Amino acid sequence: MRAADATAAVVTAALIAAVALQVEGPVRLALALVFVTFVPGWAALGHTRLATGTSRIALAVAASLAICTATAATMVWLRAWHPFALFYGLAGAALVPLMVRAVLGPPPAPGVDERPEPARAAAAAVPRRRREPAPAATVPATSGALTLQSVSVRIAFAARAPFTAQELAGLFAAVQDRHPFAEFRRDEDAGAVMEIAGSRRLEIRRDAVDYLERAPVDIEQAGRRAIDLLERVQGQLGVGFPARPSYCLRASLAPPAGAGGPFVGFADPGVVGILGSSMPVAAGWHVTGASGSPAHSWRVTVEPDGDEGRLTVVVDADFALSDDAAGVGEHLRHIHDFLTGNVARFVQAATRPPGDER
């Protein structure tokens, strides 16, 4: 969105010069039209979290018309109508925040630290009051602890021509202020991968954007980072919506208290006897279904993980078309609640050892 700030600032400065120099003609008329219908509203609400994508532009247009109309009407009612004074006042008030954002960049998203690495390191070195870590997402004690291991978001869009090297390098530079990826490389399909090894990864392709966060994962911050990155991709590369958002949450589930061995997956003693196993059988399985509000389909996969009785639980969800990136946070919270609530209780019931009536 920094490009929009710079464009609005240039339009405002050019119109101020045209009015001051008494330049007439279609150029001044076009500049005046753009200013009245866009600039004041964008200066005031261009980076608000109330809207995203094209909705943010529509909000800026509505706000601009409202501001210009209200200020003009007020001057008329006060019998102090001075059109040039009104213009210079609005232009000056709009130009200052536009120039600041065009040079320094937009304000940070909530929960995102945009300070350069040296500043973050210096801040981290200052002794602070110890805070207890937030507890991991858990389900009832009888089902063990559920630990979120990774979150991934995929936004698919209509395939387009390959991105140029300049476009992808420009995106990498544009996101560094809030998302300092350590690596940037092109792939064979003229896309790109940006990542912090073992932590976060953003992959751009001709028909989709994939964002991955690995443990430790805070679902709220992951959602905010995903929204901000998707908006940056949309603004910098011109990727349009609607899009088809998909999500994958991977978690590790500890065995129930007192289980004494691996989870038993749908294990009937007679069925286990066919295998001739001397110990409970750890079975992997998957289920599918669909839910509403918002409408989406889901797949739950459960697999044994090692000899300690832990399970890997994966929830994949596909949502309907979305008109912007703002719904990503809501979708992630919805799927996270589904994982820590419904899925965890379902696994607890399905893996209960024979004879356990809890």
Side-chain angles (χ1 to χ4, degrees):
M1 294 298 179
R2 184 180 292 187
D5 292 324
T7 301
V10 169
V11 169
T12 304
L15 185 57
I16 291 175
V19 173
L21 297 175
Q22 298 183 353
V23 176
E24 303 290 344
V27 173
R28 172 172 166 175
L29 181 61
L31 290 172
L33 181 62
V34 173
F35 177 84
V36 170
T37 58
F38 180 73
V39 173
W42 183 259
L45 303 175
H47 292 273
T48 180
R49 307 301 294 181
L50 297 175
T52 59
T54 55
S55 298
R56 184 174 290 174
I57 296 176
L59 179 63
V61 171
S64 289
L65 296 175
I67 291 171
C68 293
T69 302
T71 51
T74 300
M75 293 184 73
V76 171
W77 290 337
L78 296 176
R79 297 182 180 181
W81 175 243
H82 297 288
F84 288 104
L86 174 60
F87 164 68
Y88 286 124
L90 290 175
L95 192 58
V96 172
L98 290 173
M99 291 293 292
V100 170
R101 294 199 303 245
V103 174
L104 302 180
V112 178
D113 190 348
E114 70 166 356
R115 293 174 295 176
E117 185 64 32
R120 289 198 300 271
V126 178
R128 294 186 179 183
R129 183 178 179 181
R130 180 178 176 84
R131 297 180 61 184
E132 294 299 324
T138 59
V139 290
T142 55
S143 63
L146 182 73
T147 304
L148 189 61
Q149 294 181 318
S150 68
V151 172
S152 63
V153 179
R154 183 175 192 270
I155 302 292
F157 48 83
R160 51 151 286 169
F163 298 108
T164 66
Q166 292 79 6
E167 286 179 310
L168 295 171
L171 173 64
F172 179 69
V175 303
Q176 285 298 95
D177 56 345
R178 300 185 194 176
H179 311 280
F181 290 106
E183 299 180 30
F184 170 71
R185 61 183 181 275
R186 300 287 304 279
D187 64 17
E188 297 178 355
D189 193 33
V193 175
M194 309 171 195
E195 67 178 328
I196 303 173
S199 178
R200 301 173 196 165
R201 173 187 174 95
L202 177 67
E203 183 174 354
I204 314 294
R205 299 194 302 276
R206 294 175 56 184
D207 60 352
V209 177
D210 286 276
Y211 178 62
L212 169 68
E213 285 201 20
R214 298 182 179 90
V217 178
D218 181 291
I219 197 69
E220 294 294 335
Q221 290 193 5
R224 287 193 289 267
R225 281 190 285 263
I227 291 172
D228 187 61
L229 282 168
L230 291 170
E231 290 179 344
R232 297 290 191 98
V233 170
Q234 184 182 10
Q236 193 78 18
L237 300 181
V239 174
F241 289 96
R244 298 182 301 278
S246 302
Y247 307 87
C248 178
L249 272 61
R250 178 179 292 269
S252 178
L253 186 61
F263 278 105
V264 178
F266 300 118
D268 178 87
V271 175
V272 175
I274 295 175
L275 298 174
S277 176
S278 60
M279 62 180 293
V281 175
W285 35 269
H286 73 271
V287 294
T288 62
S291 302
S293 300
H296 63 282
S297 60
W298 47 260
R299 297 169 300 284
V300 178
T301 303
V302 181
E303 297 177 347
D305 182 14
D307 298 328
E308 298 180 355
R310 299 189 69 87
L311 287 178
T312 294
V313 181
V314 180
V315 177
D316 293 285
D318 299 315
F319 284 74
L321 298 181
S322 174
D323 58 356
D324 56 44
V328 168
E330 177 187 353
H331 293 169
L332 281 175
R333 285 190 295 272
H334 184 87
I335 296 302
H336 185 255
D337 292 343
F338 178 65
L339 168 65
T340 58
N342 304 70
V343 173
R345 291 196 303 270
F346 176 78
V347 172
Q348 174 191 354
T351 59
R352 183 177 297 139
D356 188 345
E357 301 300 329
R358 288 179 297 177

